[in-house]
Amino acid sequence: MNILLLHPPQAKAAEPPAGIPLLASTLRARGCHCTVCDLNVEGLHYLLHSTSPAADTWSKRAFKNRKQHIQALQSDSTYDHPDKYKRAVNDLNRVLENSGRANGVHVSLANFQDPHLSPQKSEDLLYCAANPHENLFFPFFSLRIIELIKAHEPAYIGISLNYLSQALCSFAIIGFIREQFPTIKIILGGGLVTTWLQNPGWTDPFGNLIDHLVSGPGELPLLNILGLDSTTHHRCCPDYSDLLDIQYLSPGFILPYATSTGCFWRKCSFCPETSEKNPYAPVNIDNALHELTTLVQQTKPILIHFLDNAVSPAMLKAIANSTLNLPWYGFVRFTHHLTDPEFCRQLRNSGCVMLKLGLESGSQVVLDQMQK
């Protein structure tokens, strides 16, 4: 059995998606032929290399220098010169902005917006599916998907939809596949889909378009959909082999890795993890460190991006005492561990280059009310 897994436009182009490689490794462990394609980055390069320059001076300059700017974002030295980095990003965004203008959409390195269509309205998503040729990326994805289907003859196509910025393009892709290849089953999952399905008032408006909607971690549901053995399922190490040669806009491979799903705190009233009642599921610490060691050997990353909503204190301690010896960053909560200068030095010595912390208020009364 063959399955094609797609990462649709438009999301940040500096690193690969994390969910699809985990799905790929799970399927391959069951002998399923699996093809992974990052349409997001491929589509971005399509826009940057096919757009005609506009008339104003900035647009002409940005278009002329676009290849240099791509190379700059893929060079270590650029990140020692903030002005050079800003110039590259601003000029590439200018090229993308001009590319979207003819279609009436706003597009950048990390976003896609249509002023007339909302990713939060099912009728607009269905419109995109019914009119895929109107999508900015249609000349690219229509040919690329046909190429992939002819080469691999998948019985299923899985699409990972995580962000609002991907929704309109995802449904244009779904509509094209349904129109051109009606016998192929379509599976849609990802973070945004999980949010939809967790809504108590959810009613499926996509039944005639999408064969399967998947909520939460997709490994087990995908095995069940494909009729593969799920009774002896155990976690597999993500497989990034399909994505190592992709031209991401970074000076080397950035390894995204999640040591958990959900949140170990899960008390904040404003957080979707609370409202959606998503369970907290940590990866065993020893397993996580083993997988990270394996992935570092396989992918030779320049940076590890921990994707957890908040890396747990126990995992932080394990990372601090590990031998990864690579730069890393991620989200954490304010905890007493971070008041210990020695522990913070350990984190730094382990490779920590940044911690992201959310501070909602300076008032303890407000924080108490928010359960922070």
Side-chain angles (χ1 to χ4, degrees), residues 19-33:
I20 287 179
L22 185 56
L23 297 176
S25 64
T26 301
L27 295 173
R28 287 166 180 165
R30 296 296 190 280
C32 180
H33 179 79

Side-chain angles (χ1 to χ4, degrees), residues 245-285:
D245 296 325
I246 302 296
Q247 294 298 305
Y248 292 102
L249 300 188
S250 55
F253 190 83
I254 297 176
L255 173 62
Y257 185 85
T259 71
S260 66
T261 57
C263 178
F264 73 91
W265 183 248
R266 213 184 74 172
K267 296 179 183 178
C268 305
S269 58
F270 59 86
C271 179
E273 299 297 342
T274 304
S275 61
E276 295 172 11
K277 299 180 180 179
N278 294 325
Y280 175 58
V283 180
N284 175 275
I285 288 177

Side-chain angles (χ1 to χ4, degrees), residues 9 20 33 35 41 76 82 95 98 146 172 192 206 222 263 307 315 326 332 351 360 371:
I20 287 179
H33 179 79
T35 302
V41 168
D76 284 316
V95 175
N98 288 332
I146 289 174
L192 186 57
F206 310 126
L222 198 52
C263 178
L307 301 170
M315 185 59 71
L326 270 172
V332 298
E360 284 77 18
Q371 298 186 1

Side-chain angles (χ1 to χ4, degrees), residues 41-285:
V41 168
E42 290 188 17
L44 179 68
H45 283 287
Y46 157 77
L47 291 184
L48 290 172
H49 288 91
S50 63
T51 305
S52 299
D56 62 281
T57 302
W58 179 14
S59 296
K60 288 180 179 179
R61 185 194 68 208
F63 183 79
K64 177 182 177 182
N65 296 326
R66 67 197 188 285
K67 293 182 180 179
Q68 293 172 240
H69 291 322
I70 292 172
Q71 292 171 355
L73 294 181
Q74 296 170 336
S75 171
D76 284 316
S77 62
T78 301
Y79 297 84
D80 293 325
H81 300 89
D83 289 341
K84 184 178 181 181
Y85 171 80
K86 291 177 183 177
R87 172 77 172 271
V89 170
N90 289 336
D91 277 12
L92 289 177
N93 277 334
R94 184 68 172 182
V95 175
L96 294 172
E97 180 186 343
N98 288 332
S99 74
R101 188 166 291 146
N103 287 57
V105 298
H106 305 297
V107 59
S108 70
L109 290 171
N111 201 15
F112 182 97
Q113 288 182 303
D114 188 319
H116 306 294
L117 297 170
S118 170
Q120 296 176 301
K121 293 182 178 180
S122 58
E123 58 266 32
D124 288 352
L125 296 174
L126 290 170
Y127 178 88
C128 290
N131 301 276
H133 59 281
E134 294 183 8
N135 186 270
L136 177 64
F137 291 96
F138 178 79
F140 158 70
F141 73 65
S142 58
L143 296 178
R144 184 68 169 118
I145 289 173
I146 289 174
E147 177 186 46
L148 289 165
I149 290 174
K150 285 184 177 179
H152 302 284
E153 299 182 345
Y156 292 84
I157 294 179
I159 298 173
S160 181
L161 171 54
N162 290 290
Y163 309 110
L164 287 171
S165 59
Q166 293 177 298
L168 299 177
C169 295
S170 293
F171 274 78
I173 290 170
I174 290 167
F176 173 76
I177 295 169
R178 180 59 73 214
E179 177 185 282
Q180 297 295 319
F181 303 95
T183 62
I184 296 178
K185 302 293 185 183
I186 298 174
I187 306 169
L188 185 65
L192 186 57
V193 179
T194 298
T195 298
W196 293 344
L197 297 180
Q198 294 285 7
N199 188 323
W202 166 258
T203 55
D204 184 6
F206 310 126
N208 295 326
L209 189 64
I210 299 166
D211 297 285
H212 302 278
L213 292 167
V214 175
S215 174
E219 301 95 288
L220 279 173
L222 198 52
L223 291 175
N224 291 327
I225 289 169
L226 300 183
L228 300 172
D229 177 28
S230 62
T231 58
T232 58
H233 171 68
H234 63 277
R235 178 183 165 90
C236 297
C237 183
D239 184 356
Y240 286 94
S241 59
D242 306 82
L243 305 172
L244 293 178
D245 296 325
I246 302 296
Q247 294 298 305
Y248 292 102
L249 300 188
S250 55
F253 190 83
I254 297 176
L255 173 62
Y257 185 85
T259 71
S260 66
T261 57
C263 178
F264 73 91
W265 183 248
R266 213 184 74 172
K267 296 179 183 178
C268 305
S269 58
F270 59 86
C271 179
E273 299 297 342
T274 304
S275 61
E276 295 172 11
K277 299 180 180 179
N278 294 325
Y280 175 58
V283 180
N284 175 275
I285 288 177

Side-chain angles (χ1 to χ4, degrees), residues 271-300:
C271 179
E273 299 297 342
T274 304
S275 61
E276 295 172 11
K277 299 180 180 179
N278 294 325
Y280 175 58
V283 180
N284 175 275
I285 288 177
D286 290 337
N287 289 347
L289 293 177
H290 176 72
E291 287 186 3
L292 282 166
T293 300
T294 300
L295 290 169
V296 166
Q297 293 172 349
Q298 291 174 349
T299 66
K300 304 294 188 297

